[in-house]
Amino acid sequence: MPGNGLILAIESSCDETAAAVVQRGSRTLSSAVASQIATHARYGGVVPELASREHLRAVVPVVRAALAQANIALADLDAIAVTSGPGLAGALLVGITYAKALAYAQNIPLIAVNHLEGHIHAVLLNERESLQRQSSLEKGTGAPGLASETWDGSTSGDQPALALVVSGGHTHLYLARPAHGSWTYSLIGRTVDDAAGEAYDKVAKLLGLGYPGGPWIDNLALHGNPHAVPFAFSQIKTKLHLGGKPPRTKAARTAPIANLDPHFLFSFSGIKTAVLRYVELHNLRPEAEVRRETLFTGPDAPPSPTVDDALATCDLQTLDLIASFQHAVVGDLMKKTFAAQESLGVLRILVTGGVSANRELRSRFTAEAARRNLHVAFPTLALSTDNAAMIAAAAWPRLQAGQFAPSGLSADPSLALGK
Ligand code: KG4
Ligand code: ZN
C-alpha cells in the first residue's frame, strides 16, 4: 500500500489548467485552477490553439502552486494522475507530457483518468470529506493529521448512483456502481447533439452576453418569467441516429447511442435554434449587438462587467426569454434523469459538471428528489467546473489497485467512460 496516499493530479482537457494534491481520495490538500476565460471570452468560445498555448504557459506555475498550498515537495508524492481524455487533443497533451515527465523524474506511477469519471468523483470527494469531518468531530480529534491518517477513502455512502454529468462538452447519464473499492460505469443516456452547457454558451452568445454563458443566464434568469415562452422538447427519434450517420458534434462522439433507451437521450440543438427564431421574430438582435458592444467588445466596455450592468441592458422580453430557456433545459434534464432513476431503481443521484453549478437546477433537482424520497448530491461550486482535485480523487482507487498508465500514454479526445 502506497505511503501517505498523496496524489498530485493535473487537468488540462479544455480551458482551465488545474493541479491539486489529494490524500487517499478523500482529503484535499490543495486545488489550484488557472482559468483561460479572459483569453477565449472575446471569441465567445474556446479556441483550441489558444487553449494549448495557455496550458503551456500555466502548467508549471499551477503545479508549483498546488504543491506549495499543500505544503509538500514532489518527493512526498505517491503518484501523479492526469486527465487523458475526453477533451481537446493539444490541450490534453500538455498535461500528459508534463505529468509523464514528473512521474518519470520521481520514479512514481502515472495514473490516467477519464475526465467524466473525474466529474463524478468531485461529488464523491465532497461526500467523503464531509463524512470525515463529521467523524473527526464526533471523535473530538479535530482535523486529522497527514501521517497519522487512517482513512481508506470508503464510506457507507458508497452505494450505486445515477450520475448526470452536465457540462460544456457532455450531458451523459451513467449508472455508477462501487466494485471492490473501485467504481464501474454503465452508460444510460446522453445527448445526441449539443451538450447542455454548449446550449447555454451559444444562447448567451446570441444574446450578446459573455463567455461562458452559464453564469450570465443563471443570474439573469432570476429576473424573467420562466413560463413566458413555452419551449418544448420533442421525443428523440433514435432511428434517425442509429441509421449509421456519423454524430454531429463533439459531445456525441464520446459514446455510442445504440441500445440506449430513447427516453434517456437528450438533444439541445433544437432549443438553441428555437431561441434564435424567437430572437429574429421579435427583433431582439439589434439589442443584443448593443449589449455585446456596451459590455464586452466596445472601446468603453467595463473591464469586468457585472450582472447589474447586463441587467441594465435587458428589456423584459429578453429576460423572459432567458428565464424560459433555462426553465426548459432544467426541466428536460430532470425529466430524463428521474425517468432513468425510476427505471433503474437507484435511490441516489449525483449531478455534476459545470452546469450543475446552476441555481435553478440545484433547487429543482433537490425539491424533486425530496418529493421522491431520494438522495441527490452536487459538488461544491468550486468542484462543479473543471478542476484537478476530482482527477486526484478518481485516481485513488487506481493507485490502490495498481492500475497504472502505460509509458506510451497519449491523449484520447473521444475517450468514452464505461460500457
Ligand atoms: O465542467 P466544465 O467547467 O467544463 C467542461 O467539462 O465542459 O463546464 C463548463 C460549462 C460551460 O458551458 C458553462 O457555461 C457551464 O458549464 N456553466 C453553467 C454555470 N456555470 C458554468 N451553466 C449553467 N449555470 C451555471 N451557473
Ligand atoms: Zn469538465
Side-chain angles (χ1 to χ4, degrees):
M1 180 56 57
N4 282 320
L6 287 174
I7 300 179
L8 167 76
I10 300 175
E11 151 66 43
S12 67
S13 64
C14 191
D15 59 348
E16 335 266 2
T17 320
V21 179
V22 177
Q23 187 177 29
R24 296 180 203 277
S26 58
R27 184 165 174 240
T28 307
L29 301 188
S30 65
S31 180
V33 181
S35 169
Q36 303 179 2
I37 284 178
T39 305
H40 302 288
R42 78 191 75 148
Y43 305 100
V46 179
V47 183
E49 290 77 9
L50 296 184
S52 309
R53 194 187 71 190
E54 293 299 309
H55 285 307
L56 273 172
R57 279 198 186 138
V59 71
V60 173
V62 166
V63 165
R64 282 199 187 133
L67 291 170
Q69 265 176 40
N71 199 20
I72 60 161
L74 279 172
D76 298 324
L77 295 170
D78 296 296
I80 307 282
V82 68
T83 306
S84 60
L88 302 168
L92 287 163
L93 272 175
V94 175
I96 292 174
T97 310
Y98 191 50
K100 271 188 187 175
L102 286 176
Y104 183 75
Q106 295 303 313
N107 196 23
I108 51 177
L110 177 69
I111 300 168
V113 174
N114 184 308
H115 182 79
L116 299 169
E117 182 176 19
H119 273 301
I120 294 172
H121 276 263
V123 194
L124 301 175
L125 171 60
N126 284 149
E127 287 192 337
R128 286 171 190 162
E129 284 190 314
S130 54
L131 271 165
Q132 210 178 352
R133 260 195 309 274
Q134 222 173 309
S135 93
S136 303
L137 280 175
E138 276 162 16
K139 284 188 207 139
T141 51
L146 195 80
S148 64
E149 182 61 68
T150 52
W151 181 262
D152 67 357
S154 64
T155 72
S156 55
D158 283 350
Q159 287 156 5
L162 179 66
L164 170 64
V165 183
V166 60
S167 69
H170 301 91
T171 304
H172 284 45
L173 272 171
Y174 293 99
L175 175 61
R177 276 175 289 211
H180 315 294
S182 188
W183 288 80
T184 61
Y185 307 92
S186 312
L187 182 72
I188 303 298
R190 70 164 174 79
T191 178
V192 297
D193 42 51
D194 290 354
E198 213 172 337
Y200 265 92
D201 295 338
K202 287 177 178 169
V203 164
K205 188 174 179 181
L206 182 69
L207 295 175
L209 294 166
Y211 173 84
W216 290 102
I217 291 182
D218 186 347
N219 283 300
L220 293 173
L222 297 172
H223 302 273
N225 172 6
H227 306 290
V229 189
F231 290 116
F233 285 84
S234 49
Q235 180 59 50
I236 294 164
K237 298 175 187 69
T238 17
K239 285 214 174 63
L240 208 73
H241 299 280
L242 295 174
K245 289 186 187 171
R248 281 181 287 160
T249 67
K250 61 180 180 189
R253 279 203 294 268
T254 53
I257 51 170
N259 305 328
L260 293 179
D261 184 330
H263 293 100
F264 311 146
L265 296 177
F266 301 93
S267 167
F268 293 104
S269 73
I271 190 161
K272 177 193 69 191
T273 312
V275 172
L276 173 64
R277 266 201 224 106
Y278 187 94
V279 163
E280 276 169 0
L281 198 66
H282 295 83
N283 199 26
L284 298 177
R285 218 184 246 287
E287 183 196 299
E289 285 312 322
V290 171
R291 183 175 306 116
R292 190 188 329 277
E293 183 82 5
T294 322
L295 296 178
F296 301 101
T297 55
D300 300 323
S304 348
T306 63
V307 175
D308 282 342
D309 292 337
L311 198 53
T313 70
C314 293
D315 61 15
L316 200 56
Q317 197 168 32
T318 300
L319 293 170
D320 285 350
L321 172 63
I322 289 172
S324 302
F325 161 78
Q326 174 161 290
H327 189 78
V329 170
V330 172
D332 190 63
L333 290 169
M334 284 180 51
K335 182 177 149 194
K336 285 154 189 177
T337 304
F338 285 103
Q341 171 275 321
E342 215 169 284
S343 138
L344 295 165
V346 284
L347 302 175
R348 192 167 168 232
I349 297 176
L350 314 177
V351 189
T352 185
V355 181
S356 77
N358 188 271
R359 271 171 290 180
E360 180 175 340
L361 179 148
R362 286 187 179 219
S363 70
R364 288 176 66 193
F365 266 85
T366 304
E368 183 61 19
R371 203 181 66 75
R372 292 170 180 247
N373 211 10
L374 302 171
H375 174 81
V376 65
F378 312 91
T380 55
L381 289 184
L383 290 198
S384 297
T385 47
D386 289 349
N387 65 87
M390 66 186 197
I391 304 300
W396 168 240
R398 300 251 149 86
L399 177 57
Q400 287 177 299
Q403 291 167 0
F404 304 138
S407 57
L409 176 72
S410 192
D412 185 348
S414 323
L415 185 64
L417 177 64
K419 295 168 271 135

